[in-house]
Amino acid sequence: MNEKRIKNILKLSGICFVLIFSLVPFIWMVIISLNERPDFLLHEGFRLTVANFVDILTMGNLHFLDYLKNSFVIASTTALISSLIGAVAAYAISRITFTGKTLLVLTVLALSMFPQICIVGYLFKFMTNLGMINTYGALILPYIAWSLPLALWIQMSYFSRIPRELDKAAQVDGASRLQTLFKIVLPIAAPGFLSTILLLFMFCFNEFLFALMLTADHKARTVPVGISLFQGLHGELPWGYIMAASVISCVPVILIALIFQRRIISGLTHGAVKQ
Amino acid sequence: MSRKIKEPVLFILPLIFFIVVFLLFPVLGTFWNSLWQDVSFIARRFIAFSNYVRLLTDGRFWQATLFTVMFALVSVFFEMVFGMITALVLNAHSRLRGALRGIALIPWAIPSVIGARIWQLIYRYDYGIANILLGKAGVGPVNWLGSPVGAFTSLVVADVWRTTPFVAIILLAGLQTVPDDMLQQAQIDGANLFQRFFKIMIPLIRPILIVAILFRTIDAIRVFDLIYVITGGGPGGATTSLSMYGYKFFLTGDFGYGSAISVILFIIAFLFALLFVRIGRLRA
């Protein structure tokens, strides 16, 4: 009886901890974005305004909508292509025996450990030589490579749980390997495919160092870089704008996290903990 | 027979293309570049390991190395503690469990630059809420970002906030594999709550604990975004990580030296990975 009480107290304080820990800094961002001044605590107190949001969405010279569009196009293109390439490769690796398979998987895994800084200096020169700096391609191509290890890893884990008898039956009926993958295996592993796309979207939407080095202005610059480079006219950081832009940029990823919480967690778990 | 050999090659060809062209070549290229004097507007010159010799006597490089390792160790330690607490909460039965799991993901889901901006504002000396709250409690304002210790602490707090959800999710997967009846049996045998946690749960999930530590350490060693936004590497280079230090050379067009720093960073990440895999094996 006594232990049950301790357990309940621990559980309740744990829930409070998680809520405060996760939400308070986030709520603070929303409060600042809706306030006339970021230093309101020292002065007149909270004064509600949506001016920061209106400005950030309407003032063309801030380019926030450009950044948002760039981020969306780049992150979703990458997520889709990388998940598909990963699915096809994961299928081959989990279903077909060929020499060098283990080596391939280990190499891909090892490469995903590389710090991004080890890649970005070379990529900068490479993209400059190709004349691709400050284009979508300059980010999409490296992002695909950078996210492929995760796409491969997650989907290998999902595919390995689908009984091979299903493939064999389809092949007996005359389906090619590719048909088997797209008509039999992938539909069954659809939750895994969705998890992969969502995770890759979030990773690319968040990525900073590549985007910082490989873009130059609003033509290809993404949201994280835009938010990190916001400067006020007189050196003072425009906190209202920064926080309003942050709130808007958080909406898509938070919606994904809340709605697809199960898929995200399952994807991360499959990526990290190979069964 | 020949079709059977070609098919898997065709399937993995796109993967290999992207990995080779945009990961493997750049990594090898970085190593190759580190052997050259490669500064903008000056002709390239092969200098073998001279960049590495220069590193040995570069005080700022050693400062960055020390900072990077300290940052990774301290951050990962606190991430494991808070991640475990969060995982236990998310694993407990409650009506809020689904919503709690979604909410707990938020700090990790939002772009790290945005998280960094939030903390940067919280730490502001004059009107940051950290100092205003401390002032209300009667403690003088802390120069969070202007002193080396303050800046280190600020960055660790921001990193722990951002990545605790990730650790929690990994550990949660481990907690879910702990059989309920084993815990119940231990309870019947008289083990209290804490004994059950430390004597049964922790040993059972140790492999996953090591995976989480490994992932997080490798990730913390390459820290860049947070530092770029919150401290810019300051004050006086006190919070310049190796990624940040290398970036500064790329930015000024010194690709040879920047590449050498990147190679060292990779070696450090690799050594940590080996170390943890080793520890995991020895204990198992």
Side-chain angles (χ1 to χ4, degrees):
Chain A
M1 213 44 218
N2 192 22
E3 189 183 304
K4 204 157 196 185
R5 189 181 283 169
I6 296 175
K7 209 173 171 180
N8 274 332
I9 293 171
L10 282 179
K11 195 160 100 180
L12 207 65
S13 39
I15 290 175
C16 291
F17 164 77
V18 170
L19 287 177
I20 293 172
F21 183 88
S22 313
L23 287 179
V24 166
F26 180 76
I27 291 169
W28 185 239
M29 167 181 79
V30 179
I31 291 174
I32 297 283
S33 74
L34 288 169
N35 212 310
E36 279 178 16
R37 319 169 48 142
D39 56 350
F40 70 95
L41 284 177
L42 296 181
H43 299 284
E44 68 283 330
F46 186 77
R47 279 208 210 145
L48 184 74
T49 174
V50 290
N52 292 322
F53 287 90
V54 174
D55 284 358
I56 203 93
L57 291 172
T58 54
M59 284 165 70
N61 60 341
L62 293 173
H63 294 297
F64 176 65
L65 284 178
D66 292 326
Y67 302 153
L68 210 54
K69 187 191 83 189
N70 296 342
S71 273
F72 262 102
V73 173
I74 291 169
S76 37
T77 311
T78 307
L80 204 63
I81 297 178
S82 184
S83 302
L84 275 174
I85 296 177
V88 175
Y91 175 74
I93 289 169
S94 66
R95 290 299 198 272
I96 310 172
T97 23
F98 57 91
T99 44
K101 193 160 92 170
T102 320
L103 182 72
L104 176 75
V105 174
L106 287 180
T107 312
V108 170
L109 199 69
L111 283 172
S112 69
M113 281 181 5
F114 278 92
Q116 279 133 291
I117 194 81
C118 297
I119 304 166
V120 79
Y122 179 90
L123 273 182
F124 177 78
K125 294 191 130 197
F126 183 71
M127 291 297 174
T128 309
N129 290 340
L130 290 178
M132 280 179 73
I133 289 287
N134 206 27
T135 63
Y136 285 179
L139 287 184
I140 292 176
L141 294 173
Y143 280 3
I144 292 175
W146 176 66
S147 60
L148 264 175
L150 187 67
L152 178 75
W153 204 241
I154 297 176
Q155 296 188 94
M156 265 170 54
S157 165
Y158 276 98
F159 289 176
S160 65
R161 291 179 172 187
I162 297 170
R164 279 144 203 256
E165 286 71 33
L166 284 174
D167 306 37
K168 292 214 176 100
Q171 274 156 15
V172 168
D173 292 343
S176 72
R177 289 244 189 228
L178 217 53
Q179 282 170 328
T180 316
L181 167 62
F182 284 106
K183 295 209 171 132
I184 312 277
V185 178
L186 213 49
I188 299 175
F193 192 65
L194 181 62
S195 302
T196 312
I197 291 190
L198 293 173
L199 274 177
L200 296 195
F201 179 87
M202 289 169 82
F203 278 129
C204 297
F205 198 81
N206 293 356
E207 202 285 332
F208 182 63
L209 182 54
F210 286 3
L212 180 68
M213 282 282 278
L214 303 175
T215 64
D217 63 23
H218 59 93
K219 281 194 211 93
R221 189 174 278 166
T222 58
V223 166
V225 182
I227 286 178
S228 80
L229 296 178
F230 260 126
Q231 281 298 336
L233 278 176
H234 310 290
E236 178 70 351
L237 284 168
W239 280 112
Y241 290 170
I242 291 175
M243 291 304 164
S246 298
V247 170
I248 296 172
S249 314
C250 283
V251 170
V253 275
I254 286 182
L255 283 181
I256 291 179
L258 292 180
I259 298 172
F260 297 103
Q261 163 261 118
R262 279 161 163 275
R263 296 266 57 84
I264 300 284
I265 291 178
S266 145
L268 270 182
T269 310
H270 279 260
V273 192
K274 183 98 196 325
Q275 305 289 322
Chain B
M1 196 61 207
S2 73
R3 252 195 82 203
K4 266 193 177 164
I5 297 168
K6 274 181 194 159
E7 227 173 12
V9 175
L10 227 56
F11 280 32
I12 56 174
L13 206 62
L15 172 95
I16 290 181
F17 169 78
F18 276 99
I19 298 274
V20 167
V21 175
F22 295 103
L23 282 186
L24 195 59
F25 276 8
V27 168
L28 296 176
T30 299
F31 180 70
W32 181 238
N33 282 345
S34 75
L35 304 177
W36 291 71
Q37 186 188 54
D38 186 359
V39 187
S40 302
F41 309 117
I42 300 174
R44 257 166 81 97
R45 195 162 63 90
F46 188 80
I47 54 170
F49 290 95
S50 299
N51 282 323
Y52 293 94
V53 176
R54 183 175 152 200
L55 280 175
L56 290 176
T57 55
D58 180 352
R60 289 194 167 263
F61 163 73
W62 289 108
Q63 189 184 14
T65 308
L66 184 68
F67 169 80
T68 306
V69 172
M70 288 297 291
F71 175 83
L73 292 179
V74 176
S75 302
V76 172
F77 173 78
F78 285 107
E79 281 156 28
M80 289 303 137
V81 174
F82 289 122
M84 181 57 91
I85 295 173
T86 309
L88 287 169
V89 173
L90 298 184
N91 195 36
H93 295 281
S94 91
R95 268 169 295 163
L96 294 167
R97 191 157 79 171
L100 264 181
R101 286 184 181 179
I103 290 170
L105 279 176
I106 286 178
W108 174 80
I110 67 176
S112 56
V113 167
I114 293 179
R117 280 296 200 195
I118 298 174
W119 286 102
Q120 187 191 12
L121 183 57
I122 288 174
Y123 292 133
R124 251 195 91 105
Y125 184 79
D126 45 2
Y127 58 79
I129 191 155
N131 275 346
I132 289 179
L133 290 179
L134 282 177
K136 291 239 162 86
V139 184
V142 174
N143 195 355
W144 290 105
L145 302 180
S147 68
V149 178
F152 183 86
T153 314
S154 307
L155 289 170
V156 168
V157 171
D159 197 55
V160 169
W161 182 72
R162 187 173 70 86
T163 46
T164 290
F166 175 80
V167 175
I169 297 310
I170 305 288
L171 296 184
L172 178 63
L175 291 180
Q176 284 166 343
T177 63
V178 177
D180 272 342
D181 45 349
M182 200 185 243
L183 295 172
Q184 275 156 14
Q185 186 56 47
Q187 189 172 10
I188 293 164
D189 294 346
N192 69 33
L193 202 61
F194 298 97
Q195 285 169 331
R196 295 206 300 275
F197 175 70
F198 285 107
K199 297 272 163 69
I200 297 178
M201 278 189 159
I202 294 280
L204 277 176
I205 67 165
R206 211 193 51 225
I208 287 183
L209 206 56
I210 288 169
V211 168
I213 293 176
L214 182 67
F215 273 34
R216 276 304 311 142
T217 309
I218 291 171
D219 199 43
I221 277 175
R222 56 190 174 196
V223 59
F224 180 82
D225 318 11
L226 279 182
I227 293 173
Y228 183 90
V229 172
I230 298 182
T231 66
T239 60
T240 301
S241 67
L242 281 173
S243 284
M244 189 81 196
Y245 195 51
Y247 169 78
K248 280 181 177 167
F249 285 94
F250 287 139
L251 197 66
T252 52
D254 191 344
F255 283 87
Y257 200 57
S259 298
I261 295 166
S262 310
V263 170
I264 299 292
L265 180 63
F266 165 70
I267 292 172
I268 293 176
F270 188 74
L271 288 179
F272 266 100
L274 278 185
L275 184 73
F276 286 125
V277 172
R278 242 332 196 349
I279 292 173
R281 275 220 192 111
L282 281 181
R283 293 258 181 92

